[in-house]
């Protein structure tokens, strides 16, 4: 279990809006890509991805206009935004020297917030945008009970009878 890596789906649109979602342990397949893209409005969009086969069927089902798949050895021009996002995310996470899978979602949302804060016109505008954002997915009090994603067995309380 300690060697398992979490696959994170990273998406960037032309305006620079970022979507980050942890989707599964190991390499993402069709089901993980479908679940990760759920809720994204992609009908009629032009989408560029790497050569991961898991994207093909879900994107076709979502009605994308064009799905361009690019290899790591070829031209990176269509993937420059997402490659820049990967680089920036790596730099953001590097000082932490490893992030617990249990806390990964919080770090991803913190990273996303820093990107949005940089694009903000000022402190007042940033605060006003956050007031309209709704409620927290996880409160500070509930942070200790954060579930372990992809490991339901760790979420159950263990007990022993002597």
């Amino acid at each position: 279990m300690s060697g398992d890596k979490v696959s994170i789906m990273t998406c960037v649109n032309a305006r620079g809006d970022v979507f980050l979602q942890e989707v599964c342990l190991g390499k993402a397949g069709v089901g993980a890509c479908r679940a990760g893209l759920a809720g994204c409005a992609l009908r009629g969009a032009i989408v560029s991805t790497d050569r991961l086969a898991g994207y093909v069927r879900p994107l076709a089902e979502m009605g994308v206009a064009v799905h361009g798949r690019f290899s790591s050895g070829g031209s990176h021009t269509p993937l420059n935004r997402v490659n820049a996002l990967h680089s920036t995310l790596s730099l953001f996470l590097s000082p932490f020297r490893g992030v617990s899978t249990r806390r990964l979602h919080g770090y991803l949302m913190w990273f996303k917030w820093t990107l949005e804060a940089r694009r903000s016109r000022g402190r007042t505008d940033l605060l006003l945008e956050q007031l309209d954002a709704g409620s927290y997915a996880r409160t500070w009090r509930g942070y200790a009970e954060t579930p372990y994603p992809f490991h339901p067995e760790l979420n159950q309380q263990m007990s022993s009878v002597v």
Side-chain angles (χ1 to χ4, degrees):
M1 195 160 47
S2 61
D4 292 334
K5 291 191 176 191
V6 176
S7 287
I8 301 171
M9 185 173 289
T10 54
C11 307
V12 183
N13 68 13
R15 293 181 306 187
D17 297 328
V18 172
F19 172 78
L20 302 162
Q21 179 66 46
E22 54 277 29
V23 291
C24 67
L25 287 177
K27 190 173 182 180
V30 173
C33 289
R34 187 178 287 126
L37 290 168
C40 295
L42 297 175
R43 181 165 302 284
I46 298 171
V47 178
S48 300
T49 67
D50 57 14
R51 305 267 318 155
L52 183 70
Y55 290 124
V56 176
R57 197 176 320 149
L59 288 173
E61 292 168 359
M62 296 176 86
V64 300
V66 177
H67 177 203
R69 299 175 67 208
F70 300 89
S71 66
S72 58
S75 170
H76 293 295
T77 304
L79 300 177
N80 278 345
R81 279 191 181 104
V82 79
N83 286 339
L85 177 63
H86 288 170
S87 177
T88 308
L89 179 59
S90 292
L91 287 171
F92 177 80
L93 292 175
S94 66
F96 303 109
R97 299 181 185 203
V99 175
S100 165
T101 304
R102 183 179 187 193
R103 307 288 186 217
L104 179 60
H105 183 77
Y107 281 89
L108 292 177
M109 294 305 101
W110 180 14
F111 171 73
K112 183 177 175 182
W113 183 87
T114 62
L115 293 178
E116 291 171 358
R118 286 183 202 151
R119 290 178 15 185
S120 180
R121 293 182 300 271
R123 291 180 181 178
T124 305
D125 289 334
L126 182 60
L127 286 172
L128 290 173
E129 289 169 12
Q130 290 178 3
L131 288 174
D132 292 338
S135 62
Y136 291 103
R138 292 189 180 98
T139 62
W140 181 252
R141 190 169 283 143
Y143 195 65
E145 288 89 33
T146 302
Y148 291 91
F150 319 117
H151 293 291
E153 69 279 3
L154 296 176
N155 293 321
Q156 298 172 359
Q157 291 293 325
M158 305 300 274
S159 62
S160 59
V161 178
V162 181

